[in-house]
Amino acid sequence: MGFQTEMVVMSIKEIGHSDENALLELLLTYKALGDEDALGNCSTSGCAPFRVKHGDDIDFESSDGDDDAGDTQPNYGDYGDESFIRNISEKDKKINSLVDMGFPENEANMAITRCGVDVDLSVLVDSISASLAAGDFDLSHQVTNRRSDSFGGTTKIRLIEDRKKKRKRYGGTAHGNQIFLDGSHYEHMPPPNPMVGFSLPNCSQLPVDRKIPKKAIGRPFFYYENVAQAPTGVWATISRCLYGIQPEYLDSKHLCAAARKRGYIHNLPIENRAPLLPLPPKTILEAFPRYKKWWPSWDTRTQFNCLRTSMACQQLTGSIGALARTGNPPPRNIQKDMIKQCKEYNLVWIGKNKVAALEPEEIEYLLGFPKDHTRGLASTNRYKSLGNSFQVDTVAYHLSVLRGMFPNGVTVLSLFTGIGGGEVALHRLGIHMKTVVSVEIDKASKRIFRHWWDQTQTGTLIEFDDVKSLTDATVASLVTRFGGFDLVIGGSPCNNLAGCNRYSRDGLEGKESVLFYQYPRILEAVKEAMARM
DNA sequence: TTTATGATGATATTCACA
DNA sequence: TGTGAATATCATCATAAA
C-alpha cells in the first residue's frame, strides 16, 4: 500500500490506535486522495511525528493525540498498543501491522531483529523509515515538490538492500556519495572543509544561506549537539526532526587547543556573537608550556585530537618511551609509529623520552571547565564524563547572543545535561540562570553538576533522571510553572554514532543514540505548551 | 562491587599525486 | 578528475586488580 509514516501518524491521531480496521480504512482514504493532497509534499520519514504541509512552513504534530493528562510513560510516537497485538504472537502481529502500513515484509523483519520485538511500533516504523529513506530522500533543507513516493518501488528497495549488504553497515566508497543506478543517492550532509561553522571569533562573518522555518523562529531557543562525523544520513535525519534547519558544523580546534568536530542545530541568531574572554590557548604548548622542555622537535603536533572517553594504558606509554630511547632522534619509521600513537591517545611529553596521557584537570582546562570540576569521581569516570561533554568555549560562543536578549536571566530546559557544559557556558557568559530543569540519568554526572550548581548558582535547579520519563504532561506543567523556557539545550548520546565505537556503531537507532528522538519530542511539547500560554 | 587495564576495526574524510 | 594512502574518531568489552 505504501503509506508514509506521516500518513500513519495522522491516521492514528484521528482515530486512535485500537481500531485496526478503521485505521487501515482511513489510510486507504488518504491514499485514494493522493499523498500530496492529503499530506502535503514531504521528504521526511526519519522521525515519526513530522509532517510537512504545503507552503513553506514545517509543522510538527504531537505524537500523542491527547493532551497527555495523566501521561506517565514515555510516549514519543507511541502508537503501539498491547490490545493491538493480543491474539497472535507479538512478532508476527507487528510484522503484519508494519506490512499493512505499507512497509516491505523483509524490512519489517529486519527492523524487529535490529530493535527487538518488545519495542514500540513507532520505533520500528522509524527504524524502517530511516533504513529505507537512505536512498529516498531529497537533500534540500527546504520543502520541495519532490514527492517521496512512499518508500520507493520494489526494485529500488532491493537495490538498496543489496547495496547495504555489500556495504555491511554504513559504508561507502572513500569518494563522495553513493550513486544508485537510477540516479538517486543517499541523503548526505557532509561537514564543510574547513569546519568553521557559520562564524569564528575575530573573523569576518561568513556568507551563510540559513533558513529557519517560521515555526522554529524565536523563543524557545534551542541548541542541539552531536558528533559531526556520524554515519551517513544521521544528520539529515536529525535535521528533519529539528525543523529542517541545517547543522552548523564546527571543529573546536578553531577555538581551543583540541579538535572536537561537532554538529550543532539551533535557532539562535548568528550575528553579534562574542567569544569567552580570555580566549583560550590554541596550541598544545601555549596551553601547557611546561611540556616544551621535553617536546621533541620531530613531534610536530600543535593541537590535540578529539578528547575522548578513555585514555592510553601504561603499557602503551611505556612502550613509546622505550621507542624514544632507540635514538636521538629515533629512526624516522619509529618516529612515525610513535607519533601515530601520540595522536590517537593525545599523549604529552612529560619528561625525557617519557610520554603520558593528559590528566583529568588538563582535559577540564582544554574543554573550558573550571579546575577540579569533575574532581571526586574516579579518574576513569572523570575521563568518561569529560569525553562526553561540550567544549565550553565553542558552545558559549554560540550562546553568547542570548546575553543581550535576556538581560534578566534565562529559564533553561537542559536535556542530557551530563556534567553541565551548557550551564557552565552560560555562567561564564555572565547569563543568569533563573531556573534550570536538568535531565540526566548518570548519577555521577548529576552529582558533579549539582555540586557545581550549589557552589556557583542562586537560581532554581530541578532534576529529572530520564528523558523518557519527562512526559508531555510534565513538560506542560513545567512550562506553566516557569512561564515557558527560553532555551532548550542538549546533546544526545553519541555512543552509536561515534567513529571509535567498534562494537555498536548502529546509527540513530542504536541503543543509546535512539534517545535523540526524545529531544524533538520534548522540544515540541515545550513549544505546544508555550503556544497555549 | 567498583575501578583500572589492555585489546578490539570500520567508516568516512583528507590529502597527495598521476 | 580519479585513485590510493593517510588520517581521525564524545567507545566497548572482557578481565584483572583493588
Side-chain angles (χ1 to χ4, degrees):
Chain A
M1 287 183 275
F3 299 120
Q4 291 177 288
T5 308
E6 299 77 19
M7 192 187 293
V8 176
V9 174
M10 289 180 65
S11 304
I12 290 167
K13 282 177 60 63
E14 289 194 30
I15 64 174
H17 34 66
S18 58
D19 189 337
E20 184 178 6
N21 291 331
L23 173 62
L24 290 172
E25 188 176 333
L26 186 57
L27 286 167
L28 286 166
T29 304
Y30 277 139
K31 188 69 179 176
L33 287 170
D35 294 357
E36 294 181 18
D37 289 337
L39 294 162
N41 302 317
C42 181
S43 60
T44 180
S45 183
C47 51
F50 197 96
R51 189 177 67 162
V52 181
K53 294 177 177 177
H54 280 298
D56 56 2
D57 282 353
I58 301 176
D59 284 346
F60 272 89
E61 285 289 333
S62 172
S63 55
D64 32 349
D66 55 36
D67 286 333
D68 301 302
D71 186 0
T72 57
Q73 295 298 317
N75 52 11
Y76 178 69
D78 180 6
Y79 46 88
D81 189 328
E82 289 188 7
S83 66
F84 202 61
I85 55 175
R86 190 172 297 144
N87 298 323
I88 63 173
S89 79
E90 197 166 2
K91 181 175 179 180
D92 288 347
K93 185 64 179 175
K94 284 187 173 174
I95 290 175
N96 288 339
S97 300
L98 291 164
V99 168
D100 284 343
M101 291 176 187
F103 295 105
E105 185 175 346
N106 63 330
E107 273 292 350
N109 215 334
M110 287 174 62
I112 290 173
T113 302
R114 283 195 298 267
C115 305
V117 72
D118 295 323
V119 301
D120 283 346
L121 205 54
S122 62
V123 175
L124 298 172
V125 169
D126 280 336
S127 176
I128 300 171
S129 300
S131 173
L132 291 171
D136 200 28
F137 280 128
D138 190 290
L139 297 182
S140 172
H141 289 266
Q142 302 177 64
V143 179
T144 73
N145 289 328
R146 178 178 180 271
R147 184 178 164 185
S148 293
D149 193 23
S150 299
F151 298 102
T154 306
T155 304
K156 185 171 185 176
I157 290 169
R158 284 178 183 158
L159 200 59
I160 294 170
E161 279 307 307
D162 290 344
R163 198 62 177 253
K164 281 184 174 179
K165 284 174 187 171
K166 286 178 186 173
R167 295 185 313 143
K168 290 177 74 176
R169 226 183 281 160
Y170 296 96
T173 66
H175 303 282
N177 299 342
Q178 291 288 322
I179 306 296
F180 291 124
L181 295 177
D182 64 358
S184 66
H185 50 90
Y186 282 107
E187 55 183 357
H188 200 15
M189 285 187 168
N193 182 25
M195 201 183 288
V196 294
F198 297 152
S199 69
L200 287 174
N202 302 324
C203 294
S204 56
Q205 176 82 40
L206 303 170
V208 176
D209 181 22
R210 188 165 188 250
K211 296 180 179 64
I212 299 179
K214 256 187 265 181
K215 191 180 179 183
I217 292 175
R219 189 172 177 260
F221 291 98
F222 64 91
Y223 189 81
Y224 174 80
E225 177 262 12
N226 216 317
V227 292
Q229 288 161 340
T232 303
V234 164
W235 273 105
T237 300
I238 293 173
S239 173
R240 276 197 306 276
C241 292
L242 293 171
Y243 309 98
I245 296 172
Q246 71 185 100
E248 177 171 14
Y249 293 110
L250 175 56
D251 188 338
S252 294
K253 74 177 185 180
H254 298 293
L255 289 102
C256 70
R260 205 165 188 81
K261 298 178 180 67
R262 297 292 180 267
Y264 305 88
I265 289 184
H266 59 85
N267 64 343
L268 294 164
I270 60 175
E271 297 81 20
N272 301 317
R273 288 169 163 176
L276 288 176
L277 296 175
L279 292 172
K282 287 173 71 175
T283 68
I284 295 173
L285 293 180
E286 284 172 7
F288 306 116
R290 64 183 181 279
Y291 297 143
K292 192 171 185 178
K293 182 178 179 183
W294 308 110
W295 206 275
S297 59
W298 47 267
D299 184 346
T300 56
R301 286 178 296 155
T302 59
Q303 290 189 299
F304 292 111
N305 279 334
C306 184
L307 303 167
R308 307 203 313 233
T309 57
S310 55
M311 294 293 113
C313 54
Q314 290 175 0
Q315 186 171 308
L316 179 67
T317 56
S319 66
I320 291 176
L323 288 172
R325 290 189 288 274
T326 58
N328 188 19
R332 295 295 294 271
N333 60 329
I334 292 182
Q335 285 179 23
K336 193 176 169 186
D337 288 344
M338 294 165 69
I339 289 177
K340 186 180 176 186
Q341 299 289 342
C342 287
K343 284 183 176 179
E344 181 169 1
Y345 291 99
N346 286 318
L347 303 178
V348 290
W349 297 92
I350 61 168
K352 186 179 181 183
N353 299 326
K354 186 178 182 184
V355 295
L358 289 163
E359 294 292 327
E361 294 80 6
E362 294 173 324
I363 296 178
E364 287 170 348
Y365 176 57
L366 290 166
L367 291 178
F369 287 92
K371 181 172 165 53
D372 293 335
H373 185 72
T374 58
R375 194 163 183 174
L377 300 182
S379 64
T380 48
N381 289 335
R382 294 181 74 180
Y383 287 126
K384 185 176 179 186
S385 60
L386 285 163
N388 283 319
S389 71
F390 290 161
Q391 204 288 322
V392 170
D393 298 272
T394 307
V395 172
Y397 180 58
H398 293 157
L399 299 181
S400 62
V401 296
L402 295 170
R403 191 162 38 193
M405 300 166 71
F406 299 97
N408 298 321
V410 290
T411 301
V412 181
L413 176 54
S414 174
L415 307 176
F416 314 102
T417 302
I419 57 174
E423 289 76 6
V424 171
L426 290 168
H427 175 63
R428 289 192 58 196
L429 284 164
I431 299 174
H432 174 59
M433 285 165 274
K434 294 183 286 188
T435 299
V436 169
V437 175
S438 166
V439 189
E440 172 57 50
I441 201 165
D442 181 70
K443 288 184 171 56
S445 295
K446 283 183 73 171
R447 196 165 69 243
I448 295 299
F449 177 60
R450 198 182 312 121
H451 286 169
W452 174 83
W453 181 272
D454 291 343
Q455 290 170 33
T456 63
Q457 302 298 308
T458 56
T460 302
L461 174 63
I462 294 176
E463 294 177 285
F464 288 85
D465 287 337
D466 187 355
V467 288
K468 287 184 290 188
S469 68
L470 189 66
T471 64
D472 293 4
T474 305
V475 169
S477 169
L478 291 165
V479 164
T480 302
R481 181 176 168 189
F482 297 114
F485 290 100
D486 303 312
L487 175 66
V488 180
I489 186 169
S492 61
C494 68
N495 309 42
N496 308 115
L497 311 179
C500 52
N501 185 342
R502 307 181 186 193
Y503 295 91
S504 53
R505 197 185 186 196
D506 301 326
L508 271 184
E509 313 307 320
K511 185 181 169 190
E512 284 83 19
S513 295
V514 75
L515 288 174
F516 156 73
Y517 293 103
Q518 299 294 329
Y519 186 98
R521 193 266 300 176
I522 291 171
L523 177 61
E524 186 60 14
V526 169
K527 290 180 80 75
E528 289 190 356
M530 287 175 67
R532 293 195 295 267
M533 286 172 61

